[in-house]
Amino acid sequence: MDKWKEIWMTITKNKSRSVLTAFGVFWGIFMLMIMIGLGNALKNGIYSQISGFATNSCILMSDATSEPYMGFRKGRYWNIVNADMDIIRERVPDVDLVIPVLFGNRTDDNVVYGDRAETYNVRGQTPDYIKMESVQMKCGRHINDIDILEKRKVCVIGQSVYDALFTPGEDPLGKYIRVNGIYFRVVGVCSAGSSGVNINGRPDETVILPISTMQQVYNMGDKVHMLAITTAPDVAVKQVEEQVKAVLKQQHQISPTDASAVMSMNLEEQFNMFKYLGIGISALIWIVGLGTLMAGAVGVSNIMMVTIRERTKEIGIRRAIGASPRDIAMQIISESIVLTTLAGLLGIVLGVFAIQGIGLMMESSKDMILKNPEIAFTTAVGALVIIVLIGALAGMMPAARALAIKPIEALNEE
């Protein structure tokens, strides 16, 4: 107890110098907390754009061929068809879901209810689609297997579509809307899920039809505009993507080396890119933050060296009355640790409060990419441990300087 009282008396002996010395550490840890909080907010904002969408997926679409093959000319256009789905399931065992998607015309005022008309996306899909892109049902239900089998003229409308066509509080279920000239009965209203990924428009701004119905009523035959593929667990999407491409090329007489005929987007690679971006942001923040803390530690060490010079006679007396070199060194290092720890704790506390305040301000803005700034408890504890280590390192050089003082010379110091 006496030891800690002595340390405290030494620190508070020159309050101005101690405060200025500790400020470097305080500012370093305070800025580290702010950067960590904002870095987490940036990562949360990025991840919110891709959450709710299957990461083990890829999207494939047809395009013009770039090579002549089997008597077909270069530049031939072809279409994915319904039969391709069963063949893919049969020949590519690592496929989990094969989800066909059909896009409708988006003409002016193509969605009509009563005397209200607006322009919205139209999309045909199967019930499996929501297993890849999550949506939230506001009322009613989504497209089901019976709708597909019986080719029912039903639709699910997005929340924005409902807001534009219906009066607030009006029940849309069972009502008929005209979509590209054909009437469909509304069976559900959905809003966008948590994902910021959207394919041909957000779900809340789209009219969704059973794909089989859409193919029939709009005379699209068995054509499919897009295939969404999800893989079995622990299977690389790239591997399945190449296998599916090979199957489609074989089925439609396309050269195996044609790199342009099948367009694809590997969403797993896109998600990994965001993941690595988050890791890079965290690493950069810690590098900059630790650099700032080390600068503060250098300041502490320099001031401690000045303090040792002023306390030369005191140290000589301690050595003369029997204090061991270890006792002297621990005294100096303890003073450095206490000073940096107090400054660091204050920086952590104020940093956390500042991040909470920033978070409250961000809640009022829905469009900001920064979301939910936060500092994990383990991060704060880790920062505190680093501060203690930095305090110990900052005290080592002054401690070595103190041990180099000879008692006789110290007692003769004026």
Side-chain angles (χ1 to χ4, degrees):
M1 192 66 180
D2 291 338
K3 176 183 176 182
W4 295 110
K5 287 182 178 179
E6 185 176 352
I7 291 173
W8 181 251
M9 288 177 61
T10 302
I11 292 174
T12 56
K13 184 177 181 181
N14 192 327
K15 295 182 178 63
S16 298
R17 184 164 62 189
S18 296
V19 169
L20 292 174
T21 302
F23 182 79
V25 176
F26 159 78
W27 186 251
I29 197 67
F30 177 78
M31 291 308 299
L32 178 61
M33 292 295 103
I34 295 295
M35 288 189 294
I36 289 174
L38 293 179
N40 287 334
L42 179 59
K43 289 191 290 183
N44 290 340
I46 292 173
Y47 293 153
S48 71
Q49 299 299 307
I50 60 176
S51 64
F53 205 95
T55 58
N56 60 329
S57 60
C58 66
I59 293 169
L60 301 103
M61 301 177 71
S62 62
D63 199 359
T65 59
S66 61
E67 298 178 12
Y69 187 69
M70 294 181 67
F72 292 101
R73 63 180 176 81
K74 174 183 176 181
R76 173 173 62 97
Y77 285 91
W78 63 283
N79 293 304
I80 301 173
V81 296
N82 292 339
D84 292 331
M85 291 178 288
D86 290 332
I87 295 171
I88 290 171
R89 293 188 186 100
E90 178 183 346
R91 298 185 185 177
V92 187
D94 290 328
V95 161
D96 181 25
L97 297 174
V98 181
I99 307 166
V101 180
L102 196 61
F103 303 126
N105 295 327
R106 182 189 170 106
T107 56
D108 291 341
D109 297 335
N110 63 328
V111 181
V112 181
Y113 174 70
D115 59 352
R116 299 184 182 183
E118 295 291 341
T119 303
Y120 286 106
N121 298 311
V122 180
R123 189 166 70 200
Q125 61 188 50
T126 64
D128 283 340
Y129 186 86
I130 61 173
K131 296 178 182 178
M132 185 181 72
E133 181 184 10
S134 64
V135 297
Q136 299 174 351
M137 296 305 299
K138 292 295 185 180
C139 64
R141 62 173 178 83
H142 212 275
I143 301 297
N144 61 32
D145 291 327
I146 299 177
D147 297 329
I148 301 294
L149 183 63
E150 298 182 356
K151 300 179 180 178
R152 291 175 172 175
K153 289 184 178 179
V154 297
C155 68
V156 175
I157 63 175
Q159 182 66 49
S160 297
V161 182
Y162 169 81
D163 293 338
L165 298 182
F166 295 88
T167 57
E170 181 179 358
D171 184 4
L173 301 183
K175 305 292 176 59
Y176 284 84
I177 64 173
R178 192 168 75 246
V179 182
N180 289 334
I182 305 294
Y183 282 93
F184 292 86
R185 181 167 56 89
V186 178
V187 295
V189 178
C190 71
S191 64
S194 56
S195 174
V197 179
N198 66 79
I199 299 174
N200 195 44
R202 294 167 55 87
D204 58 330
E205 299 173 346
T206 302
V207 177
I208 301 170
L209 310 175
I211 189 170
S212 57
T213 308
M214 189 171 176
Q215 287 174 332
Q216 183 178 66
V217 300
Y218 295 118
N219 297 317
M220 293 182 171
D222 62 350
K223 182 166 58 176
V224 173
H225 289 144
M226 185 188 83
L227 280 183
I229 305 290
T230 64
T231 64
D234 302 322
V235 177
V237 173
K238 185 66 176 178
Q239 171 188 333
V240 173
E241 178 186 8
E242 294 303 322
Q243 292 174 354
V244 172
K245 281 185 177 182
V247 169
L248 289 173
K249 289 176 181 179
Q250 183 180 10
Q251 286 301 112
H252 295 274
Q253 292 79 48
I254 299 169
S255 171
T257 59
D258 193 327
S260 303
V262 184
M263 295 189 302
S264 66
M265 182 172 66
N266 188 328
L267 295 176
E268 183 179 57
E269 292 179 351
Q270 302 297 318
F271 294 138
N272 284 337
M273 180 183 68
F274 286 121
K275 176 182 175 182
Y276 296 141
L277 177 61
I279 293 173
I281 291 171
S282 297
L284 179 62
I285 287 171
W286 278 100
I287 290 171
V288 174
L290 290 177
T292 306
L293 282 177
M294 291 305 296
V298 170
V300 172
S301 182
N302 289 336
I303 296 299
M304 292 292 291
M305 293 288 283
V306 174
T307 304
I308 295 302
R309 182 71 182 84
E310 294 176 348
R311 296 167 62 190
T312 300
K313 190 169 186 178
E314 174 195 334
I315 293 171
I317 294 173
R318 286 174 178 271
R319 295 289 302 276
I321 62 177
S324 67
R326 180 179 180 277
D327 292 335
I328 297 295
M330 288 305 298
Q331 175 75 16
I332 303 301
I333 292 173
S334 296
E335 291 174 7
S336 177
I337 290 174
V338 170
L339 187 62
T340 55
T341 301
L342 290 175
L345 280 173
L346 182 61
I348 290 173
V349 171
L350 292 183
V352 169
F353 278 118
I355 285 298
Q356 289 180 340
I358 293 171
L360 292 175
M361 290 188 291
M362 287 181 180
E363 286 180 359
S364 60
S365 177
K366 301 296 183 182
D367 298 327
M368 290 185 65
I369 192 173
L370 301 177
K371 295 181 182 295
N372 303 324
E374 57 188 3
I375 298 173
F377 178 74
T378 53
T379 300
V381 172
L384 183 60
V385 171
I386 290 172
I387 291 168
V388 174
L389 293 176
I390 287 176
L393 289 173
M396 284 184 178
M397 189 173 292
R401 173 72 180 84
L403 294 179
I405 298 174
K406 296 179 180 180
I408 299 299
E409 294 177 358
L411 291 173
N412 294 328
E413 182 78 17
E414 292 298 332

